[in-house]
Every structure is written in structure tokens, then in C-alpha cells.
mmCIF file of all heavy atoms in Angstrom:
data_model
loop_
_atom_site.group_PDB
_atom_site.id
_atom_site.type_symbol
_atom_site.label_atom_id
_atom_site.label_comp_id
_atom_site.label_asym_id
_atom_site.label_seq_id
_atom_site.Cartn_x
_atom_site.Cartn_y
_atom_site.Cartn_z
ATOM 1 N N GLN H 1 -6.087 60.102 114.171
ATOM 2 C CA GLN H 1 -7.244 59.656 114.854
ATOM 3 C C GLN H 1 -8.452 60.624 114.621
ATOM 4 O O GLN H 1 -9.551 60.040 114.508
ATOM 5 C CB GLN H 1 -6.944 59.578 116.310
ATOM 6 C CG GLN H 1 -5.910 58.530 116.623
ATOM 7 C CD GLN H 1 -5.670 58.352 118.192
ATOM 8 O OE1 GLN H 1 -6.562 58.764 119.079
ATOM 9 N NE2 GLN H 1 -4.458 57.914 118.559
ATOM 10 N N ALA H 2 -8.180 61.878 114.698
ATOM 11 C CA ALA H 2 -9.261 62.783 114.428
ATOM 12 C C ALA H 2 -9.995 62.662 113.130
ATOM 13 O O ALA H 2 -11.009 62.704 112.960
ATOM 14 C CB ALA H 2 -8.834 64.328 114.573
ATOM 15 N N MET H 3 -9.095 62.388 112.067
ATOM 16 C CA MET H 3 -9.611 62.199 110.833
ATOM 17 C C MET H 3 -10.477 60.891 110.663
ATOM 18 O O MET H 3 -11.536 60.984 110.138
ATOM 19 C CB MET H 3 -8.467 62.003 109.791
ATOM 20 C CG MET H 3 -8.871 61.843 108.355
ATOM 21 S SD MET H 3 -7.483 61.554 107.317
ATOM 22 C CE MET H 3 -6.782 60.031 107.696
ATOM 23 N N LEU H 4 -10.044 59.826 111.313
ATOM 24 C CA LEU H 4 -10.808 58.537 111.344
ATOM 25 C C LEU H 4 -12.153 58.832 112.148
ATOM 26 O O LEU H 4 -13.173 58.277 111.697
ATOM 27 C CB LEU H 4 -9.994 57.470 112.097
ATOM 28 C CG LEU H 4 -8.826 57.020 111.271
ATOM 29 C CD1 LEU H 4 -7.982 56.026 112.059
ATOM 30 C CD2 LEU H 4 -9.195 56.336 109.931
ATOM 31 N N THR H 5 -12.112 59.617 113.219
ATOM 32 C CA THR H 5 -13.434 59.909 113.887
ATOM 33 C C THR H 5 -14.298 60.753 113.070
ATOM 34 O O THR H 5 -15.543 60.484 113.014
ATOM 35 C CB THR H 5 -13.001 60.644 115.155
ATOM 36 O OG1 THR H 5 -12.204 59.856 116.004
ATOM 37 C CG2 THR H 5 -14.281 60.991 115.944
ATOM 38 N N TYR H 6 -13.779 61.924 112.309
ATOM 39 C CA TYR H 6 -14.650 62.610 111.475
ATOM 40 C C TYR H 6 -15.323 61.733 110.272
ATOM 41 O O TYR H 6 -16.334 61.971 109.919
ATOM 42 C CB TYR H 6 -13.923 63.791 110.908
ATOM 43 C CG TYR H 6 -13.653 64.873 112.038
ATOM 44 C CD1 TYR H 6 -12.422 65.461 112.026
ATOM 45 C CD2 TYR H 6 -14.573 65.296 112.982
ATOM 46 C CE1 TYR H 6 -12.057 66.518 113.012
ATOM 47 C CE2 TYR H 6 -14.347 66.254 113.751
ATOM 48 C CZ TYR H 6 -13.180 66.809 113.897
ATOM 49 O OH TYR H 6 -12.891 67.815 114.832
ATOM 50 N N ARG H 7 -14.403 60.737 109.919
ATOM 51 C CA ARG H 7 -14.858 59.929 108.758
ATOM 52 C C ARG H 7 -16.149 59.027 109.250
ATOM 53 O O ARG H 7 -17.105 58.860 108.590
ATOM 54 C CB ARG H 7 -13.765 58.958 108.305
ATOM 55 C CG ARG H 7 -14.388 57.965 107.151
ATOM 56 C CD ARG H 7 -13.174 57.215 106.544
ATOM 57 N NE ARG H 7 -12.325 58.040 105.804
ATOM 58 C CZ ARG H 7 -10.928 58.107 105.879
ATOM 59 N NH1 ARG H 7 -10.314 57.296 106.760
ATOM 60 N NH2 ARG H 7 -10.255 58.950 105.179
ATOM 61 N N MET H 8 -16.002 58.616 110.537
ATOM 62 C CA MET H 8 -17.194 57.883 111.127
ATOM 63 C C MET H 8 -18.343 58.669 111.191
ATOM 64 O O MET H 8 -19.474 58.361 110.851
ATOM 65 C CB MET H 8 -16.780 57.346 112.470
ATOM 66 C CG MET H 8 -17.780 56.515 113.091
ATOM 67 S SD MET H 8 -18.214 54.907 112.383
ATOM 68 C CE MET H 8 -16.698 54.038 112.886
ATOM 69 N N ALA H 9 -18.244 59.950 111.697
ATOM 70 C CA ALA H 9 -19.258 60.855 111.737
ATOM 71 C C ALA H 9 -19.898 61.199 110.448
ATOM 72 O O ALA H 9 -21.232 61.143 110.239
ATOM 73 C CB ALA H 9 -18.882 62.167 112.513
ATOM 74 N N SER H 10 -19.083 61.324 109.487
ATOM 75 C CA SER H 10 -19.693 61.556 108.203
ATOM 76 C C SER H 10 -20.320 60.457 107.495
ATOM 77 O O SER H 10 -21.330 60.627 106.755
ATOM 78 C CB SER H 10 -18.391 62.011 107.171
ATOM 79 O OG SER H 10 -18.900 62.500 105.961
ATOM 80 N N GLU H 11 -19.768 59.213 107.741
ATOM 81 C CA GLU H 11 -20.518 58.003 107.240
ATOM 82 C C GLU H 11 -21.845 57.800 107.943
ATOM 83 O O GLU H 11 -22.722 57.257 107.247
ATOM 84 C CB GLU H 11 -19.469 56.794 107.477
ATOM 85 C CG GLU H 11 -18.368 56.769 106.598
ATOM 86 C CD GLU H 11 -17.355 55.675 106.865
ATOM 87 O OE1 GLU H 11 -17.518 55.030 107.992
ATOM 88 O OE2 GLU H 11 -16.410 55.435 106.227
ATOM 89 N N LEU H 12 -22.024 58.258 109.163
ATOM 90 C CA LEU H 12 -23.243 58.120 109.906
ATOM 91 C C LEU H 12 -24.339 59.034 109.267
ATOM 92 O O LEU H 12 -25.472 58.781 109.260
ATOM 93 C CB LEU H 12 -23.109 58.334 111.347
ATOM 94 C CG LEU H 12 -22.411 57.240 112.169
ATOM 95 C CD1 LEU H 12 -22.128 57.714 113.531
ATOM 96 C CD2 LEU H 12 -23.269 55.941 112.359
ATOM 97 N N THR H 13 -23.715 60.296 108.826
ATOM 98 C CA THR H 13 -24.679 61.263 108.275
ATOM 99 C C THR H 13 -24.158 61.797 106.961
ATOM 100 O O THR H 13 -23.481 62.924 106.949
ATOM 101 C CB THR H 13 -24.842 62.391 109.293
ATOM 102 O OG1 THR H 13 -23.436 62.956 109.528
ATOM 103 C CG2 THR H 13 -25.481 61.944 110.557
ATOM 104 N N PRO H 14 -24.197 60.990 105.902
ATOM 105 C CA PRO H 14 -23.528 61.338 104.584
ATOM 106 C C PRO H 14 -24.001 62.695 104.000
ATOM 107 O O PRO H 14 -23.266 63.199 103.124
ATOM 108 C CB PRO H 14 -23.875 60.222 103.659
ATOM 109 C CG PRO H 14 -25.101 59.463 104.248
ATOM 110 C CD PRO H 14 -24.917 59.677 105.782
ATOM 111 N N ALA H 15 -25.030 63.173 104.413
ATOM 112 C CA ALA H 15 -25.640 64.380 103.730
ATOM 113 C C ALA H 15 -25.162 65.622 104.474
ATOM 114 O O ALA H 15 -25.547 66.713 104.171
ATOM 115 C CB ALA H 15 -27.059 64.380 103.532
ATOM 116 N N SER H 16 -24.488 65.470 105.621
ATOM 117 C CA SER H 16 -24.212 66.533 106.482
ATOM 118 C C SER H 16 -22.882 67.388 105.893
ATOM 119 O O SER H 16 -21.866 66.867 105.814
ATOM 120 C CB SER H 16 -23.762 66.039 107.792
ATOM 121 O OG SER H 16 -23.118 67.141 108.670
ATOM 122 N N ILE H 17 -23.223 68.551 105.477
ATOM 123 C CA ILE H 17 -22.316 69.399 104.828
ATOM 124 C C ILE H 17 -21.075 69.741 105.904
ATOM 125 O O ILE H 17 -19.883 69.669 105.586
ATOM 126 C CB ILE H 17 -22.859 70.598 104.310
ATOM 127 C CG1 ILE H 17 -23.864 70.272 103.196
ATOM 128 C CG2 ILE H 17 -21.772 71.631 103.813
ATOM 129 C CD1 ILE H 17 -24.775 71.473 102.868
ATOM 130 N N SER H 18 -21.520 70.082 107.105
ATOM 131 C CA SER H 18 -20.483 70.514 108.047
ATOM 132 C C SER H 18 -19.565 69.339 108.468
ATOM 133 O O SER H 18 -18.355 69.573 108.601
ATOM 134 C CB SER H 18 -21.125 71.058 109.343
ATOM 135 O OG SER H 18 -22.164 70.124 109.880
ATOM 136 N N ARG H 19 -20.154 68.116 108.551
ATOM 137 C CA ARG H 19 -19.201 67.028 108.794
ATOM 138 C C ARG H 19 -18.239 66.541 107.635
ATOM 139 O O ARG H 19 -17.147 66.272 107.959
ATOM 140 C CB ARG H 19 -20.005 65.752 109.231
ATOM 141 C CG ARG H 19 -20.622 65.922 110.632
ATOM 142 C CD ARG H 19 -21.343 64.824 111.188
ATOM 143 N NE ARG H 19 -21.789 65.008 112.512
ATOM 144 C CZ ARG H 19 -22.947 64.893 112.962
ATOM 145 N NH1 ARG H 19 -23.954 64.499 112.231
ATOM 146 N NH2 ARG H 19 -23.162 65.163 114.287
ATOM 147 N N LEU H 20 -18.856 66.762 106.390
ATOM 148 C CA LEU H 20 -17.959 66.568 105.318
ATOM 149 C C LEU H 20 -16.788 67.587 105.301
ATOM 150 O O LEU H 20 -15.649 67.286 104.910
ATOM 151 C CB LEU H 20 -18.796 66.711 104.024
ATOM 152 C CG LEU H 20 -19.412 65.478 103.381
ATOM 153 C CD1 LEU H 20 -20.214 65.872 102.191
ATOM 154 C CD2 LEU H 20 -18.299 64.458 102.954
ATOM 155 N N GLN H 21 -17.142 68.804 105.687
ATOM 156 C CA GLN H 21 -16.149 69.853 105.681
ATOM 157 C C GLN H 21 -14.972 69.551 106.651
ATOM 158 O O GLN H 21 -13.786 69.723 106.423
ATOM 159 C CB GLN H 21 -16.712 71.230 106.155
ATOM 160 C CG GLN H 21 -17.596 71.724 104.996
ATOM 161 C CD GLN H 21 -18.411 73.070 105.287
ATOM 162 O OE1 GLN H 21 -18.710 73.747 104.390
ATOM 163 N NE2 GLN H 21 -18.528 73.284 106.650
ATOM 164 N N ASN H 22 -15.410 69.145 107.964
ATOM 165 C CA ASN H 22 -14.394 68.731 108.962
ATOM 166 C C ASN H 22 -13.540 67.627 108.410
ATOM 167 O O ASN H 22 -12.258 67.669 108.540
ATOM 168 C CB ASN H 22 -15.092 68.229 110.261
ATOM 169 C CG ASN H 22 -15.617 69.393 111.092
ATOM 170 O OD1 ASN H 22 -15.191 70.429 110.899
ATOM 171 N ND2 ASN H 22 -16.595 69.085 111.932
ATOM 172 N N LEU H 23 -14.177 66.651 107.723
ATOM 173 C CA LEU H 23 -13.430 65.447 107.286
ATOM 174 C C LEU H 23 -12.426 65.936 106.117
ATOM 175 O O LEU H 23 -11.342 65.447 106.191
ATOM 176 C CB LEU H 23 -14.346 64.295 106.738
ATOM 177 C CG LEU H 23 -13.659 63.111 106.064
ATOM 178 C CD1 LEU H 23 -12.809 62.409 106.933
ATOM 179 C CD2 LEU H 23 -14.782 62.114 105.593
ATOM 180 N N GLY H 24 -12.956 66.800 105.227
ATOM 181 C CA GLY H 24 -12.091 67.203 104.104
ATOM 182 C C GLY H 24 -10.998 68.040 104.572
ATOM 183 O O GLY H 24 -9.791 67.732 104.090
ATOM 184 N N MET H 25 -11.089 68.997 105.505
ATOM 185 C CA MET H 25 -10.003 69.731 105.959
ATOM 186 C C MET H 25 -9.108 68.872 106.773
ATOM 187 O O MET H 25 -7.908 68.990 106.541
ATOM 188 C CB MET H 25 -10.622 70.865 106.861
ATOM 189 C CG MET H 25 -11.399 71.910 106.107
ATOM 190 S SD MET H 25 -11.837 73.269 107.283
ATOM 191 C CE MET H 25 -13.327 73.733 106.459
ATOM 192 N N MET H 26 -9.498 68.070 107.654
ATOM 193 C CA MET H 26 -8.746 67.174 108.475
ATOM 194 C C MET H 26 -7.754 66.277 107.586
ATOM 195 O O MET H 26 -6.667 66.123 107.732
ATOM 196 C CB MET H 26 -9.388 66.385 109.501
ATOM 197 C CG MET H 26 -8.557 65.907 110.577
ATOM 198 S SD MET H 26 -8.109 67.139 111.737
ATOM 199 C CE MET H 26 -6.481 67.469 111.368
ATOM 200 N N THR H 27 -8.428 65.644 106.522
ATOM 201 C CA THR H 27 -7.661 64.861 105.556
ATOM 202 C C THR H 27 -6.663 65.601 104.882
ATOM 203 O O THR H 27 -5.546 65.164 104.576
ATOM 204 C CB THR H 27 -8.743 64.294 104.580
ATOM 205 O OG1 THR H 27 -9.746 63.554 105.148
ATOM 206 C CG2 THR H 27 -7.969 63.268 103.549
ATOM 207 N N TYR H 28 -6.942 66.864 104.486
ATOM 208 C CA TYR H 28 -5.999 67.741 103.746
ATOM 209 C C TYR H 28 -4.803 67.932 104.720
ATOM 210 O O TYR H 28 -3.645 67.881 104.270
ATOM 211 C CB TYR H 28 -6.589 69.097 103.355
ATOM 212 C CG TYR H 28 -5.680 70.062 102.673
ATOM 213 C CD1 TYR H 28 -5.632 70.072 101.351
ATOM 214 C CD2 TYR H 28 -4.933 70.983 103.411
ATOM 215 C CE1 TYR H 28 -4.804 70.940 100.709
ATOM 216 C CE2 TYR H 28 -4.122 71.811 102.855
ATOM 217 C CZ TYR H 28 -4.040 71.796 101.385
ATOM 218 O OH TYR H 28 -3.145 72.622 100.800
ATOM 219 N N TYR H 29 -5.063 68.445 105.934
ATOM 220 C CA TYR H 29 -3.815 68.732 106.788
ATOM 221 C C TYR H 29 -3.078 67.548 107.295
ATOM 222 O O TYR H 29 -1.927 67.681 107.703
ATOM 223 C CB TYR H 29 -4.249 69.543 107.986
ATOM 224 C CG TYR H 29 -4.808 70.928 107.558
ATOM 225 C CD1 TYR H 29 -6.111 71.409 107.803
ATOM 226 C CD2 TYR H 29 -3.937 71.764 107.099
ATOM 227 C CE1 TYR H 29 -6.571 72.602 107.444
ATOM 228 C CE2 TYR H 29 -4.217 73.129 106.789
ATOM 229 C CZ TYR H 29 -5.628 73.632 107.004
ATOM 230 O OH TYR H 29 -6.021 74.883 106.620
ATOM 231 N N THR H 30 -3.672 66.346 107.200
ATOM 232 C CA THR H 30 -2.975 65.095 107.549
ATOM 233 C C THR H 30 -2.050 64.740 106.396
ATOM 234 O O THR H 30 -1.284 63.700 106.592
ATOM 235 C CB THR H 30 -3.745 63.926 107.995
ATOM 236 O OG1 THR H 30 -4.764 63.760 107.066
ATOM 237 C CG2 THR H 30 -4.384 64.261 109.414
ATOM 238 N N GLY H 31 -2.209 65.366 105.218
ATOM 239 C CA GLY H 31 -1.258 65.067 104.102
ATOM 240 C C GLY H 31 -1.835 64.299 103.009
ATOM 241 O O GLY H 31 -1.196 64.019 101.890
ATOM 242 N N ASP H 32 -3.006 63.633 103.167
ATOM 243 C CA ASP H 32 -3.638 62.941 102.084
ATOM 244 C C ASP H 32 -4.259 63.784 101.128
ATOM 245 O O ASP H 32 -5.506 63.883 101.081
ATOM 246 C CB ASP H 32 -4.483 61.803 102.633
ATOM 247 C CG ASP H 32 -4.934 60.781 101.599
ATOM 248 O OD1 ASP H 32 -4.729 60.967 100.357
ATOM 249 O OD2 ASP H 32 -5.617 59.755 101.945
ATOM 250 N N ARG H 33 -3.648 64.488 100.170
ATOM 251 C CA ARG H 33 -4.157 65.548 99.401
ATOM 252 C C ARG H 33 -5.080 64.891 98.409
ATOM 253 O O ARG H 33 -6.013 65.505 97.899
ATOM 254 C CB ARG H 33 -3.012 66.372 98.832
ATOM 255 C CG ARG H 33 -2.098 67.040 99.794
ATOM 256 C CD ARG H 33 -2.824 68.107 100.631
ATOM 257 N NE ARG H 33 -2.179 68.537 101.759
ATOM 258 C CZ ARG H 33 -1.259 69.524 101.700
ATOM 259 N NH1 ARG H 33 -0.836 70.124 100.613
ATOM 260 N NH2 ARG H 33 -0.749 70.021 102.712
ATOM 261 N N LYS H 34 -4.731 63.803 97.861
ATOM 262 C CA LYS H 34 -5.525 63.131 96.821
ATOM 263 C C LYS H 34 -6.995 62.832 97.338
ATOM 264 O O LYS H 34 -7.927 63.275 96.703
ATOM 265 C CB LYS H 34 -4.949 61.877 96.245
ATOM 266 C CG LYS H 34 -5.616 61.189 95.151
ATOM 267 C CD LYS H 34 -4.823 60.072 94.538
ATOM 268 C CE LYS H 34 -5.559 59.389 93.513
ATOM 269 N NZ LYS H 34 -4.825 58.207 92.896
ATOM 270 N N GLU H 35 -6.983 62.163 98.548
ATOM 271 C CA GLU H 35 -8.284 61.864 99.152
ATOM 272 C C GLU H 35 -9.004 63.111 99.480
ATOM 273 O O GLU H 35 -10.178 63.316 99.406
ATOM 274 C CB GLU H 35 -8.174 60.942 100.256
ATOM 275 C CG GLU H 35 -9.434 60.580 100.962
ATOM 276 C CD GLU H 35 -10.398 59.749 100.122
ATOM 277 O OE1 GLU H 35 -9.910 59.071 99.118
ATOM 278 O OE2 GLU H 35 -11.492 59.678 100.494
ATOM 279 N N ALA H 36 -8.372 64.107 100.023
ATOM 280 C CA ALA H 36 -8.958 65.384 100.478
ATOM 281 C C ALA H 36 -9.605 66.104 99.352
ATOM 282 O O ALA H 36 -10.667 66.667 99.492
ATOM 283 C CB ALA H 36 -7.689 66.264 101.123
ATOM 284 N N GLU H 37 -8.858 66.067 98.254
ATOM 285 C CA GLU H 37 -9.547 66.739 97.012
ATOM 286 C C GLU H 37 -10.853 66.075 96.728
ATOM 287 O O GLU H 37 -11.823 66.836 96.386
ATOM 288 C CB GLU H 37 -8.642 66.723 95.839
ATOM 289 C CG GLU H 37 -9.130 67.410 94.616
ATOM 290 C CD GLU H 37 -8.342 67.457 93.351
ATOM 291 O OE1 GLU H 37 -7.229 66.629 93.412
ATOM 292 O OE2 GLU H 37 -8.643 68.120 92.444
ATOM 293 N N LYS H 38 -11.011 64.810 96.690
ATOM 294 C CA LYS H 38 -12.274 64.201 96.519
ATOM 295 C C LYS H 38 -13.437 64.637 97.450
ATOM 296 O O LYS H 38 -14.519 65.035 97.035
ATOM 297 C CB LYS H 38 -12.132 62.568 96.585
ATOM 298 C CG LYS H 38 -11.227 62.030 95.485
ATOM 299 C CD LYS H 38 -11.138 60.624 95.646
ATOM 300 C CE LYS H 38 -10.180 59.941 94.700
ATOM 301 N NZ LYS H 38 -9.997 58.484 95.082
ATOM 302 N N ILE H 39 -12.987 64.656 98.702
ATOM 303 C CA ILE H 39 -13.989 65.105 99.826
ATOM 304 C C ILE H 39 -14.358 66.530 99.645
ATOM 305 O O ILE H 39 -15.550 66.925 99.886
ATOM 306 C CB ILE H 39 -13.448 64.730 101.171
ATOM 307 C CG1 ILE H 39 -13.102 63.197 101.446
ATOM 308 C CG2 ILE H 39 -14.412 65.122 102.221
ATOM 309 C CD1 ILE H 39 -12.412 62.875 102.521
#
């Protein structure tokens, strides 16, 4: 759920570095390494 929430925040502000970081890290720790690598 946290990953989906961070994705929403990142989509609202696509140029936000800090929100991209949150999304990328959360995606990594939830196990989707392929998507995490892209982010």
C-alpha cells in the first residue's frame, strides 16, 4: 500500500527527486526489482 501511495505522490509531481527516491526504494524492498531498477 505504501508503494502505491508513493507512486501516486510521484505521479502528481513527476519532477520531485525525493518522491522518486521514496518510490524507488519502496518498490525495491517490496521485491519488484525490475521496476525498482527503472525508477
